[in-house]
Amino acid sequence: NAGVTQTPKFQVLKTGQSMTLQCAQDMNHNSMYWYRQDPGMGLRLIYYSASEGTTDKGEVPNGYNVSRLNKREFSLRLESAAPSQTSVYFCASSEMAGRSEQYFGPGTRLTVT
Amino acid sequence: GNSVTQMEGPVTLSEEAFLTINCTYTATGYPSLFWYVQYPGEGLQLLLKATKADDKGSNKGFEATYRKETTSFHLEKGSVQVSDSAVYFCALSVTAAGNKLTFGGGTRVLVKP
């Protein structure tokens, strides 16, 4: 099993450009999450999807949108990238929202210039 | 709200030394507690967890005990190896908060041969 996969691994954007980060899991998990990781700040939750068809804001949702395309896939979109969104982005999944053992993808390193 | 505080790194040790990483938390409700590990260039992996007071989580020689009276969940390993070099994150989740994880800032550990 691949677990949680993310594409791309690296991306450089100019301010104002848009892009979508892709995430897929093959563990038949119900819940999926997007985090950003910044130095010294741990991981902060951007958005999550407790189950297919639902999405909710996390701690830092501003500037992002998400789509739970189906049970496997959960994408994160930056409509107009800003330098403050330079970060490492992680997708994660868990069996259900009531089980907090989350499985993480390898991350996407995004730089906005 | 919920928060996790862990000691800042980096922590530099020699092989076979004893490792302790302190973690304390504040939570509204009864949290489950976790330690995640991030090896260089990878996503986070669950290392161990504890779901109620006085539980001890253990894995790969690491241990942590859920101490409700001191709101702590310190990570320990008796004899570290170079392969333990990584960033360690303490985290909690509370059912009332939808079981979303709240992370500490991470502690980088470097083990030298």
Side-chain angles (χ1 to χ4, degrees):
Chain A
N1 283 347
V4 179
T5 57
Q6 293 182 234
T7 55
K9 288 191 190 305
F10 302 94
Q11 183 71 49
V12 179
L13 292 177
K14 295 187 189 303
T15 298
Q17 287 184 317
S18 63
M19 79 161 295
T20 299
L21 280 64
Q22 306 288 353
C23 174
Q25 51 90 9
D26 63 1
M27 295 173 283
N28 202 36
H29 285 169
N30 289 300
S31 302
M32 298 185 74
Y33 312 81
W34 275 107
Y35 294 89
R36 59 177 290 172
Q37 182 181 27
D38 301 295
M41 300 186 73
L43 275 73
R44 293 181 292 169
L45 183 65
I46 304 171
Y47 271 93
Y48 69 103
S49 171
S51 61
E52 187 179 355
T54 69
T55 61
D56 286 287
K57 294 178 181 179
E59 185 183 350
V60 288
N62 290 345
Y64 305 96
N65 285 300
V66 290
S67 295
R68 183 73 183 267
L69 304 169
N70 48 54
K71 192 171 185 181
R72 289 187 63 247
E73 299 172 286
F74 188 40
S75 62
L76 178 73
R77 182 160 178 84
L78 288 70
E79 291 290 351
S80 179
S84 60
Q85 294 178 304
T86 294
S87 187
V88 182
Y89 291 85
F90 288 100
C91 178
S93 70
S94 65
E95 190 174 330
M96 60 182 72
R99 293 243 190 122
S100 295
E101 294 175 46
Q102 295 184 15
Y103 296 81
F104 285 78
T108 296
R109 185 173 294 275
L110 175 67
T111 302
V112 183
T113 61
Chain B
N2 302 322
S3 67
V4 176
T5 303
Q6 57 183 109
M7 57 192 293
E8 290 189 22
V11 175
T12 303
L13 302 165
S14 297
E15 215 166 13
E16 300 184 3
F18 186 87
L19 170 67
T20 299
I21 304 175
N22 290 339
C23 170
T24 57
Y25 66 88
T26 59
T28 53
Y30 201 115
S32 296
L33 302 174
F34 306 84
W35 277 101
Y36 279 82
V37 59
Q38 183 180 29
Y39 298 105
E42 298 183 11
L44 279 70
Q45 303 173 26
L46 179 66
L47 181 60
L48 54 83
K49 68 173 185 177
T51 58
K52 62 182 188 296
D54 300 323
D55 268 3
K56 177 185 283 189
S58 61
N59 187 24
K60 299 182 180 181
F62 289 90
E63 292 183 340
T65 301
Y66 189 144
R67 301 286 188 201
K68 194 167 187 289
E69 64 276 11
T70 55
T71 62
S72 65
F73 192 54
H74 304 322
L75 183 68
E76 297 181 335
K77 186 173 185 183
S79 177
V80 293
Q81 305 300 313
V82 172
S83 57
D84 293 324
S85 298
V87 181
Y88 294 83
F89 292 93
C90 187
L92 67 83
S93 72
V94 178
T95 301
N99 278 308
K100 298 186 290 296
L101 285 170
T102 299
F103 286 90
T107 302
R108 183 176 300 277
V109 173
L110 177 61
V111 181
K112 296 186 174 180

